[in-house]
Amino acid sequence: MSKQCAFIGLGVMGYPMAGHLQKADHKVTVYNRTQAKAEKWAKEYSGRCQPTPAEAVKEADFVMVCVGNDDDVRNVFYGDEGILANLKSGAVVIDHTTASAELARELEQAVNEKQGSFLDAPVSGGQAGAENGVLTAMVGGEQHTFEAADELFQCYAKTRQLMGPAGSGQLAKMVNQICIAGVLQGLSEGLQLARKVGLDPDKLIAAISQGAAGSWQMENRYKTMWDNHYEHGFAVDWMRKDLKIALAEADRQGLSLPATALVDQFYADVQKMGGSRWDTSSLLARLEK
């Protein structure tokens, strides 16, 4: 059944995600900070665009948000031109931004005060996952709200998992990024040694990828890492933003994440090398500089 939707934020993730909704015959109105991009999306997908978040959401039963960070989220939610200024009673708001759990709980309360429902639903899978509609969504919120939104999640998320109350999706995404960071550093060190001792990378990965050492990163990134090709994928800048959130949450919980903190500093080195927009697998480039 066709739904009235608004999609706020048309970055490398949001642009195709909104497109999948429109292609599934939902009626989508978009907003983007750069109006020209919203107009381009509307033309490409035969949708609609509006100049403010408030205008974009006024008819929407479902509102999706996918912007940069906590400050960006607050900018599109609050104020006279924000989402909350024009949110329909009964609307479901889904924040796909990777942000803090604290913000998710704040937004749930703010949306509830407008008689709406809220889900924090950060996604994993990168630009390719968004374009192919096979993202993973880690969701925080109420069960009935999650069930109401699942038809829309299916348009761009192959895997959807309700993790618990508001904020739980963001906490799960933090764990996801912590695990990726550690895996990539280990893969980088392994490939550096393999190159040094003259191993054939294809034979090596064929031998070890189906065992305990195997990972998505190994299968999908070893070739580009070996060829020193990093102009693709999930940017180092984004990873550092996500790791900052994870490290701050760990600090609030009285936990130490020494390996994560170390890899975060390694990514800072990659940024200094000019790799801010390189894929996160560029940790190998740091080792071989």
Side-chain angles (χ1 to χ4, degrees):
M1 182 178 174
S2 179
K3 309 290 187 185
Q4 290 281 357
C5 301
F7 207 105
I8 311 300
L10 299 175
V12 295
M13 303 291 286
Y15 195 101
M17 290 166 72
H20 287 302
L21 288 170
Q22 185 72 6
K23 287 189 288 187
D25 292 328
H26 298 296
K27 296 178 174 64
V28 184
T29 301
V30 300
Y31 163 80
N32 193 65
R33 185 166 49 187
T34 304
Q35 178 72 6
K37 195 167 189 181
E39 292 171 354
K40 177 187 175 187
W41 182 95
K43 182 177 180 181
E44 180 177 346
Y45 290 103
S46 300
R48 298 189 300 168
C49 64
Q50 292 290 352
T52 68
E55 286 296 307
V57 307
K58 65 181 180 181
E59 298 176 359
D61 298 308
F62 292 87
V63 177
M64 291 77 170
V65 180
C66 191
V67 292
N69 55 35
D70 283 29
D71 289 341
D72 294 329
V73 174
R74 288 191 172 97
N75 284 339
V76 298
F77 267 86
Y78 297 116
D80 293 341
E81 297 184 342
I83 291 167
L84 294 172
N86 237 2
L87 189 67
K88 282 178 61 176
S89 177
V92 175
V93 181
I94 305 166
D95 186 15
H96 289 303
T97 311
T98 297
S100 67
E102 182 181 28
L103 176 60
R105 300 181 191 110
E106 171 192 322
L107 293 177
E108 181 191 44
Q109 181 176 343
V111 171
N112 287 349
E113 288 173 357
K114 293 290 185 176
Q115 287 72 54
S117 301
F118 177 81
L119 298 171
D120 57 293
V123 293
S124 179
Q127 183 175 350
E131 291 172 350
N132 295 320
V134 294
L135 294 167
T136 294
M138 294 150 274
V139 187
E142 299 292 335
Q143 178 73 38
H144 64 88
T145 308
F146 174 71
E147 292 173 357
D150 196 53
E151 178 185 351
L152 302 175
F153 282 136
Q154 289 179 36
C155 296
Y156 46 77
K158 181 179 180 181
T159 303
R160 293 89 57 195
Q161 181 65 54
L162 181 65
M163 304 303 303
S168 300
Q170 298 296 354
L171 293 169
K173 181 62 183 289
M174 294 174 206
V175 175
N176 186 76
Q177 302 305 76
I178 289 167
C179 294
I180 290 172
V183 167
L184 280 170
Q185 180 61 21
L187 179 58
S188 297
E189 293 178 12
L191 289 178
Q192 183 190 32
L193 177 61
R195 196 193 304 274
K196 184 71 172 179
V197 299
L199 291 175
D200 180 288
D202 297 326
K203 291 179 180 178
L204 172 67
I205 299 307
I208 70 173
S209 63
Q210 302 308 306
S215 67
W216 185 96
Q217 302 292 341
M218 180 179 287
E219 291 275 4
N220 292 275
R221 290 290 182 261
Y222 89 89
K223 281 186 178 291
T224 49
M225 293 170 73
W226 195 267
D227 294 336
N228 199 34
H229 174 57
Y230 302 112
E231 301 291 343
H232 59 88
F234 190 72
V236 167
D237 278 353
W238 301 340
M239 183 57 128
R240 287 214 73 204
K241 184 266 289 186
D242 292 356
L243 293 180
K244 180 180 179 181
I245 293 169
L247 290 165
E249 182 65 34
D251 188 59
R252 276 192 290 272
Q253 300 297 332
L255 298 176
S256 173
L257 304 179
T260 303
L262 187 60
V263 176
D264 179 55
Q265 290 307 302
F266 292 164
Y267 279 126
D269 293 340
V270 175
Q271 288 175 320
K272 292 173 185 175
M273 293 167 59
S276 293
R277 305 296 296 178
W278 291 352
D279 183 67
T280 47
S281 60
S282 56
L283 287 169
L284 179 57
R286 173 190 167 274
L287 293 175
E288 296 187 333
K289 65 180 179 179

